[in-house]
Amino acid sequence: MIHTSEAKRTGMRGSRVYMVCVGLGLCLVTAWITPAQGITDEEILDRVMERVAAYPELKNMEARVASTLQAMDKRWKPKKTTLVDKLIRMTDGLRSEEILSAQETHKGRTQDVTAEMAKDARKQEEKARKRRAKKGEGDKEEKSGRGEMTREQMFPFGEDRRQGYDFNRKGDSYVGKRPAYVLETKAKTRSDEWVEGLYYIDKQTFDVLKAEIRFAKNPKMLKRFEMEAWFRVLPEGYLVMERLLMRIHVGLVVKSIRMQVQEEYRDFKILD
C-alpha cells in the first residue's frame, strides 16, 4: 500500500514528466509547422527596393525642428553652440526654413542671433528658387544648395543606383526596440555623387530605420563628412527624417571649419 506522501511525490513526478513531454511535443510541432526561414541578401534588397519605391513623394510638408549647431575645436570639443527652433516647409518640393528663435553661446556669453539666422535662411531660399527656375522642376538630381542629398543618393536601392554598389549583410541589430537587418553598402565608383555606409532595415516591414553614411569620396576641401539619420513612416505613408547627427570638417587654405549638427523633427503636417 502506498502512503499518502509517497503518492503525492509519485504524482508530482508524473506531472513534471507530463509537462516536459507536452513542452517537447509543442516544440516539435511548432518546428514542423513553422520551420526556420532564412532570407538572402538579394531578397532583403528586393524588399527594401519595393518599400522605398512605395513611399509617396514628399512635396508639401511642414515640421518643427530643434537644432543644435556646434563649432568644434581640433579635438572635436564644442567652442560655440547655437540652439535653433525653426519650422521647415516643403512647397512643391522646395525647402524653406522659418527661424523662430536662435540663441548662440560662446565663451560663457549668450546672445540672440534670430535675426541673422532668419536673414540667412531667406537668402538660401531665394538661391534655391533661382536654381529651380534655371534648372526646371523636372531635374531629379536637383539639390537644395545646403549639402542635402537626393533621395536616390541616400537610398541607393533602386535599379539605377543598385548596380553601382556592393552590398554586404553585417548581421542583425536593433533600432530602439525594433529588430533590424544591417546592410553595408560600398560604392564601386569613388565619387561624391555616391554615398556608402550602413543601413538598418526593419525585419518585419523592410522600412529603412536608420542610415550611417558618408561620401564614397569627399569633395574638394571636405576633410570629413559623417551623417547618422533616423527615419519613421507617417500614418499617411510618407518616409520622413526624425533625427539627424552630422559632423563636417572643411579644410580651407587659411583655416579649418569643424561643425557638428544635431536635429530633432516633430509635429509633421502634410500640406496637400
Side-chain angles (χ1 to χ4, degrees):
M1 184 175 181
I2 302 176
H3 293 288
T4 302
S5 58
E6 184 180 351
K8 288 183 178 180
R9 287 195 297 270
T10 303
M12 291 174 63
R13 287 197 297 267
S15 295
R16 285 196 291 267
V17 171
Y18 173 79
M19 294 302 296
V20 170
C21 290
V22 170
L24 180 59
L26 287 174
C27 290
L28 291 173
V29 171
T30 303
W32 176 73
I33 294 175
T34 57
Q37 295 182 357
I39 184 168
T40 67
D41 294 358
E42 197 69 20
E43 289 171 333
I44 294 175
L45 290 173
D46 288 340
R47 296 292 299 274
V48 176
M49 181 178 67
E50 293 172 3
R51 194 71 186 101
V52 171
Y55 299 135
E57 185 178 0
L58 190 59
K59 299 190 70 174
N60 297 283
M61 178 271 292
E62 179 182 281
R64 190 77 173 261
V65 183
S67 182
T68 302
L69 313 175
Q70 292 180 303
M72 314 297 279
D73 61 19
K74 293 181 179 180
R75 296 172 293 177
W76 284 91
K77 301 294 183 181
K79 57 183 182 181
K80 182 170 65 175
T81 300
T82 306
L83 302 179
V84 184
D85 184 20
K86 61 186 179 181
L87 285 174
I88 62 166
R89 293 188 182 92
M90 294 284 289
T91 307
D92 291 330
L94 185 68
R95 175 177 169 135
S96 62
E97 295 185 356
E98 179 184 346
I99 307 299
L100 303 177
S101 67
Q103 302 292 320
E104 179 184 277
T105 301
H106 180 51
K107 294 183 178 180
R109 182 181 178 184
T110 300
Q111 62 176 332
D112 190 297
V113 292
T114 305
E116 295 93 320
M117 294 203 68
K119 183 179 180 179
D120 179 64
R122 289 193 293 270
K123 286 182 179 179
Q124 293 296 334
E125 181 181 354
E126 184 60 28
K127 288 180 180 179
R129 291 184 184 278
K130 289 180 178 179
R131 280 194 303 273
R132 167 169 286 191
K134 184 177 180 179
K135 286 186 174 184
E137 293 188 26
D139 190 345
K140 292 184 179 181
E141 293 299 317
E142 179 186 352
K143 299 180 184 179
S144 71
R146 305 199 70 163
E148 294 182 4
M149 299 177 185
T150 64
R151 177 166 166 168
E152 289 78 7
Q153 279 181 302
M154 184 171 289
F155 303 116
F157 302 105
E159 291 293 347
D160 294 340
R161 287 267 170 178
R162 188 163 159 178
Q163 304 304 318
Y165 282 88
D166 291 320
F167 295 89
N168 298 295
R169 187 169 164 186
K170 304 296 287 185
D172 301 331
S173 185
Y174 283 85
V175 177
K177 296 182 179 180
R178 299 171 71 174
Y181 300 113
V182 183
L183 292 181
E184 180 184 48
T185 63
K186 285 189 175 294
K188 297 177 182 178
T189 303
R190 312 314 294 173
S191 165
D192 62 355
E193 290 296 318
W194 302 82
V195 299
E196 58 187 17
L198 297 176
Y199 290 84
Y200 296 76
I201 311 300
D202 188 291
K203 285 188 173 183
Q204 291 185 341
T205 65
F206 292 89
D207 289 311
V208 179
L209 301 177
K210 182 183 176 185
E212 300 174 2
I213 54 180
R214 60 191 178 276
F215 289 113
K217 181 181 179 181
N218 285 332
K220 188 177 181 181
M221 294 186 294
L222 185 63
K223 304 296 184 181
R224 179 180 182 181
F225 175 86
E226 299 170 355
M227 187 174 83
E228 295 181 45
W230 288 258
F231 302 94
R232 61 176 287 202
V233 179
L234 298 180
E236 297 86 352
Y238 296 94
L239 181 73
V240 295
M241 188 181 297
E242 192 172 35
R243 188 152 51 103
L244 172 71
L245 172 61
M246 187 163 55
R247 297 183 182 92
I248 303 172
H249 177 196
V250 180
L252 303 176
V253 176
V254 293
K255 66 175 181 178
S256 290
I257 300 173
R258 297 174 178 86
M259 289 292 299
Q260 178 171 285
V261 181
Q262 298 180 71
E263 291 190 330
E264 300 276 349
Y265 296 76
R266 68 184 190 277
D267 300 338
F268 291 94
K269 296 179 182 178
I270 303 302
L271 304 176
D272 289 342

